[in-house]
Amino acid sequence: MRIGVLTGGGDAPGLNPAVAGVVERATMCGYEVLGLKRGWEAISVRENASHIVELGPEIIREYSRLGGSKLQCSRTNPVSEKNDRTDIVKENMKKLGLDAIVAIGGEDTLGAASVLFERGIPVVGIPKTIDRDLYGTEYSLGYDTALNVICESAQRIAHSAESHQTIFFLEVMGRHAGWLALRGGEAAFADIILIPEYSFEVGQLKEVLREQLETSRSRGFDQIYKMIIVSEGAHIEGEEEIRKDTKLDEFGHYSLGGVGNYLKGLLEHDFRHTRYTALAYLQRGAQPTQKDRAMGRRFGHNAVEMIKNGDFGFYVGVQRARLVKVRLLEIRKSPSLVDVSKHYDTERLNVKQQWTDITE
Ligand code: F6P
């Protein structure tokens, strides 16, 4: 048995440990593993010799601890309408002697995997995205590391914010899902959290801030600053999300970014000192935490088990805290967003207090 493994989409901490997990379990089963570089690109181009690497057990130690992806990533779509390369994928699988593919990625990479599976390619998937918004799984690789970076960064920024009594906007990723902002902000005890799932009024934002400042003053606090964690997809009622530029990737997505700066601009006349920082790639570029290493390893082992059992067309998911098989085509269903009525306090613009389900 020869397995190909690839990492697609944006990089995330936990990809390398997942590849290490695949290699570890495959070695135990007596299977060979080939690394397919740059996501789906490796097997959707004809000249791909430089895209292929042999992965033996000697890589496990290094891969187990590194962030990013040693196999590199790309947002290549092998089944795009404009440039469908299913035939090349099939030819390459034959040429490389591949019996199965493990695709590690998010909605796009696994969405492409589901189409390829429907066209007869034996593929299984592992969920990855710091956004934690994939249908059918409570966990995706990178989320825990990104949350830790957000929490740590908020703490660092607080030193500066406290010194200057700043209203600080810390912008985090997540695309259309507010999980990173909500759970990062919760752990950092952010004063305000703005998420894409709840479009707010600027007037309300100012009002909540004024009340908070007033309360802090009346309690005699002398170091008054406010930390606002804002998701890149958050937007004002009736307005569009703020886009970084006009480019679209192969899956038709645009990049978000800049809402923190925009809001800072709207508030700077009413408040004395306002500042903004976008965490951007710092939250993806970290050494994976214990959770992302362990989950990567488990996902890797389970993906190989699925191949061994002939369970193609599935990805490894987490549901109710258990590892389960989920049909790849489910990944194309609507993403898992924050349920505002369950998790968000629309009056305080913050995480809802007193919630008992800790799986979300
Ligand atoms: O999906 C993961 C993610 O990091 C999003 O949170 C973010 O919007 C996007 O990728 C950024 O993509 P790129 O790496 O193309 O800038």
Side-chain angles (χ1 to χ4, degrees), residues 77-86 112 115 119 250-252:
N77 182 2
V79 292
S80 78
E81 273 176 31
K82 271 196 212 148
N83 185 13
D84 191 299
R85 284 158 279 176
T86 309
V115 176
R119 296 175 183 174
E250 282 195 32
F251 291 90

Side-chain angles (χ1 to χ4, degrees), residues 10-11 75 128-131 173-175 180 232 244 249 254-256 281 284:
D11 65 287
R75 297 195 188 275
K128 168 271 352 174
T129 171
I130 62 165
D131 306 342
M173 283 184 167
R175 226 187 265 272
L180 284 173
E232 62 181 3
K244 220 188 281 176
D249 68 17
Y254 47 83
S255 295
L256 296 170
Y281 300 95
R284 288 208 322 224

Side-chain angles (χ1 to χ4, degrees), residues 194-213:
L194 301 173
I195 57 172
E197 293 85 346
Y198 181 74
S199 42
F200 55 94
E201 307 272 355
V202 188
Q204 187 192 358
L205 175 60
K206 288 183 185 173
E207 205 43 45
V208 173
L209 266 174
R210 278 200 196 97
E211 270 174 34
Q212 289 188 359
L213 289 167

